[in-house]
Amino acid sequence: MQSETIERENNVDEMAEARIAADLARDGYAVARGLLSADEIALIRETFMEQAANGPVEGLSDGIYRHLDRFDPLSFYPRMMNPHGRTDLAVGPVARRFMLDRRFQTILRAAIGEEPVAAQSMFYFKPGGARGQDLHQDNFYLRVKPGTCYAAWIAVDPCDAENGGMMVVPGSQETEIVCPQKADTSISFTDAHVPVPAGLQATLVPLQAGDVLFFNGSVIHGSYPNTSTDRFRRSLIYHYVPRGSYELSASYVPLSFDGDRVAIPAATGGGPCGAPMESIRH
């Protein structure tokens, strides 16, 4: 495995910051090409694959695997939830290191206009034959007020139509957070679906390993199944919120980029579906 002592760099120049901020404001998403090096991607890929070598990990892997047929690829490779908090496992320090990477802080500070704090980490394996995740909005789950959350979606493999690359709906950052409809679970491993508003359309965002897709928490996004037979579409995903947020769903524990806990009051009451949402997780 690649050395875990790969040095962290802040290689984001002011022009790149400005472009990403402008793209986020205009379209709701932006891509930072090659933000992570080949060595950094190798470290992430190898660490998470070694952790998953024997299948799901109790307390780390999404419990969905318990309800899946053994022939479902996600029964062996469910997503990992908040690996940055598992300091007892090899994935913990790696996930935490990149979660608090100064490059993300620099980009998001410029885009948000205030200091970001880290709220969540996830790792998706998405092997060949795996279902996708239907169109949804992240801030339905994080419930940030005022404003919204932001995602940093790190491509660990090349991502395209065949292996279920990311789809986004440009312009949907201006839409309200809506109560999802039921998804087609034959093609989505989650059951939430947000329809594309009239006049907008979902578009594929092709990515290479090391590219990072940033997007606003109101942006409608998701992915279709991995139709390949032998290609993974792995990704390491982080969610961030403005430090000055008044509310955040109680299930998230935000951290500053120095690694300190940040107190943000818990969101209360019902969400867009008109019912308490404490048990709903992204």
Side-chain angles (χ1 to χ4, degrees):
M1 192 173 87
Q2 296 287 329
S3 169
E4 292 190 14
T5 61
I6 296 172
E7 197 169 309
R8 182 184 304 175
E9 297 177 22
N10 187 347
N11 59 359
V12 184
D13 61 41
E14 291 184 4
M15 288 184 64
E17 285 178 41
R19 178 190 60 78
I20 292 168
D23 288 352
L24 276 166
R26 184 187 64 245
D27 300 323
Y29 76 98
V31 179
R33 299 289 180 189
L35 188 62
L36 272 65
S37 70
D39 283 346
E40 289 173 318
I41 290 299
L43 171 62
I44 293 168
R45 181 178 59 249
E46 292 169 17
T47 302
F48 278 89
M49 290 304 290
E50 287 181 11
Q51 191 73 70
N54 296 313
V57 180
E58 188 65 32
L60 174 64
S61 301
D62 188 342
I64 187 176
Y65 72 88
R66 299 188 185 93
H67 310 290
L68 299 178
D69 183 282
R70 65 187 180 91
F71 296 108
D72 187 318
L74 296 179
S75 67
F76 192 86
Y77 284 115
R79 61 184 176 175
M80 292 181 174
M81 306 299 292
N82 288 313
H84 72 279
R86 292 300 302 269
T87 55
D88 58 319
L89 301 174
V91 293
V94 172
R96 184 182 177 93
R97 167 190 161 181
F98 289 101
M99 185 180 200
L100 305 181
D101 191 290
R102 297 296 180 182
R103 288 167 290 188
F104 298 147
Q105 181 186 29
T106 299
I107 288 170
L108 291 168
R109 185 194 290 134
I112 298 171
E114 66 174 282
E115 189 64 24
V117 295
Q120 185 186 36
S121 64
M122 297 186 288
F123 190 90
Y124 284 59
F125 293 90
K126 199 169 186 180
R131 288 172 289 168
Q133 183 173 10
D134 209 339
L135 297 173
H136 62 283
Q137 296 168 295
D138 288 347
N139 208 41
F140 174 77
Y141 305 94
L142 278 82
R143 301 178 67 196
V144 175
K145 290 183 180 179
T148 188
C149 57
Y150 289 81
W153 199 99
I154 303 168
V156 180
D157 297 295
C159 304
D160 51 43
E162 182 189 48
N163 69 350
M166 280 288 285
M167 306 287 293
V168 300
V169 179
S172 59
Q173 76 275 12
E174 304 295 342
T175 61
E176 296 292 327
I177 300 297
V178 301
C179 182
Q181 301 174 5
K182 287 293 183 182
D184 179 354
T185 54
S186 69
I187 60 173
S188 172
F189 77 89
T190 56
D191 63 359
H193 167 76
V194 173
V196 177
L200 302 180
Q201 62 180 18
T203 184
L204 177 71
V205 183
L207 300 169
Q208 294 299 315
D211 292 348
V212 180
L213 172 65
F214 293 92
F215 53 92
N216 170 303
S218 293
V219 166
I220 299 170
H221 66 285
S223 67
Y224 294 120
N226 183 342
T227 59
S228 74
T229 58
D230 59 356
R231 296 176 62 202
F232 281 88
R233 194 232 59 186
R234 290 164 287 211
S235 56
L236 178 57
I237 306 162
Y238 297 116
H239 288 106
Y240 300 89
V241 306
R243 186 164 190 146
S245 300
Y246 298 162
E247 291 187 4
L248 174 66
S249 180
S251 59
Y252 299 91
V253 181
L255 298 174
S256 74
F257 275 82
D258 291 324
D260 300 320
R261 287 196 176 190
V262 176
I264 296 177
T268 58
C273 295
M277 298 172 56
E278 283 76 9
S279 63
I280 298 177
R281 187 177 66 172
H282 186 276

